[in-house]
Amino acid sequence: MNLVARLRPAVPVAIALVGVLVTLAVASRVLPGRVVMVHLSETGGSAFAASRDDLVLLGAVLVVGIVVTWSVSALFLAVTPARHVLVPHAAFWKNPANRAEMRRRYQRYLAVATSASLWFVAALFVLALVSQGGPLAAWWLPAAVSAAFVLFVLGGLTWVFTVGFTPTPAGVAVRTAASDREARVASSPSSTRVALPKPDASAARPPKVSQRPTEATPRSGTAPPAPSPRPGRTSGRPETAPADGPRKGPPRPYQPRPRSGGPRG
């Protein structure tokens, strides 16, 4: 997590701090010497009154106390082990993949509560500026502002521990880790990347060797003669039938042919 992500929860506190400091500076110049905070309309008296310097000093002490309390609480949440942090659905949020999101939510909710406290102090000083005389000098105005602040704090606390830590889908943790990695990459110095050519798949693949044996074929266009089934006969010649046709019946006995020319003396 880079520095910008760490300081992001403190933005509401910084804005509220600037607002209350401006309010205190204006009140120290505009308020009368004796300031009445709560006017009692029935008796015409006051329930809370103080000098301007004491009131401004009290406001400054409240602002410093709120800021110090927020700083200590934020540091406590940052360094406390996850097993000691009180959180709803602890089995989900104390998982190592979700601890960063749990701490981030706690920091954000704490910053919202702190900024609300600072704005409450500023609202009281603005009310003191406009209620020193006229129709706004009523007792119920400070009570209404204080009740609204208490209801906001109690309602926000109830919402945080009921809805604010509802288990999120699994994809949120992945996106959070991805955003953290992108932030780290963006904060790191850029490095020159050399694009290497991708190897050709056809060149890297070895040629296929046929598993069939190569048959020797004659170069001539005619096929070789088939072997003769009878011994002594030249292969390739067709078998000629005898002149007197095919022989039928049992074989004839051997009869020698007579010699031509008669007997020799």
Side-chain angles (χ1 to χ4, degrees), residues 122-193:
L124 290 180
F125 275 89
V126 171
L127 186 62
L129 288 172
V130 300
S131 65
Q132 294 305 310
L136 295 179
W139 63 270
W140 56 269
L141 282 178
V145 173
S146 302
F149 172 71
V150 172
L151 290 177
F152 175 80
V153 172
L154 293 179
L157 189 65
T158 304
W159 182 88
V160 165
F161 284 96
T162 54
V163 182
F165 284 100
T166 302
T168 55
V172 174
V174 177
R175 289 195 299 270
T176 302
S179 62
D180 292 342
R181 288 195 298 269
E182 291 177 359
R184 288 195 297 268
V185 171
S187 61
S188 61
S190 59
S191 58
T192 305
R193 297 183 179 179

Side-chain angles (χ1 to χ4, degrees), residues 39 114 128 245:
H39 298 271
T114 304

Side-chain angles (χ1 to χ4, degrees), residues 7 16-17 52 62 88 168 188 239:
L7 295 180
L17 183 60
R52 179 181 59 191
L62 287 176
T168 55
S188 61
E239 184 178 0

Side-chain angles (χ1 to χ4, degrees), residues 4-259:
V4 177
R6 290 181 181 274
L7 295 180
R8 188 173 300 169
V11 173
V13 179
I15 296 174
L17 183 60
V18 172
V20 72
L21 290 179
V22 171
T23 304
L24 290 177
V26 173
S28 64
R29 299 288 184 178
V30 178
L31 285 177
R34 181 174 177 82
V35 182
V36 178
M37 296 294 297
V38 180
H39 298 271
L40 299 177
S41 55
E42 291 86 3
T43 60
S46 60
F48 181 79
S51 64
R52 179 181 59 191
D53 296 337
D54 293 343
L55 187 62
V56 173
L57 179 61
L58 178 62
V61 171
L62 287 176
V63 170
V64 172
I66 292 172
V67 173
V68 170
T69 302
W70 168 72
S71 302
V72 173
S73 301
L75 181 62
F76 174 79
L77 289 174
V79 301
T80 302
R83 64 179 180 273
H84 297 311
V85 177
L86 178 63
V87 62
H89 308 285
F92 177 83
W93 291 109
K94 292 186 179 182
N95 189 28
N98 302 322
R99 290 177 184 176
E101 179 64 19
M102 177 192 69
R103 296 183 187 275
R104 187 180 297 108
R105 293 193 180 193
Y106 256 128
Q107 297 287 352
R108 183 168 65 249
Y109 299 151
L110 181 61
V112 171
T114 304
S115 61
S117 301
L118 293 175
W119 285 121
F120 171 67
V121 175
L124 290 180
F125 275 89
V126 171
L127 186 62
L129 288 172
V130 300
S131 65
Q132 294 305 310
L136 295 179
W139 63 270
W140 56 269
L141 282 178
V145 173
S146 302
F149 172 71
V150 172
L151 290 177
F152 175 80
V153 172
L154 293 179
L157 189 65
T158 304
W159 182 88
V160 165
F161 284 96
T162 54
V163 182
F165 284 100
T166 302
T168 55
V172 174
V174 177
R175 289 195 299 270
T176 302
S179 62
D180 292 342
R181 288 195 298 269
E182 291 177 359
R184 288 195 297 268
V185 171
S187 61
S188 61
S190 59
S191 58
T192 305
R193 297 183 179 179
V194 179
L196 299 177
K198 295 182 178 180
D200 191 1
S202 60
R205 187 179 301 171
K208 294 183 178 180
V209 180
S210 177
Q211 300 296 332
R212 298 180 179 177
T214 305
E215 298 179 357
T217 57
R219 295 185 179 181
S220 61
T222 59
S228 176
R230 296 176 59 182
R233 183 177 295 274
T234 305
S235 61
R237 294 183 179 181
E239 184 178 0
T240 58
D244 53 355
R247 297 178 180 180
K248 297 181 180 180
R252 297 178 180 180
Y254 175 75
Q255 296 179 2
R257 293 181 180 182
R259 298 180 178 179

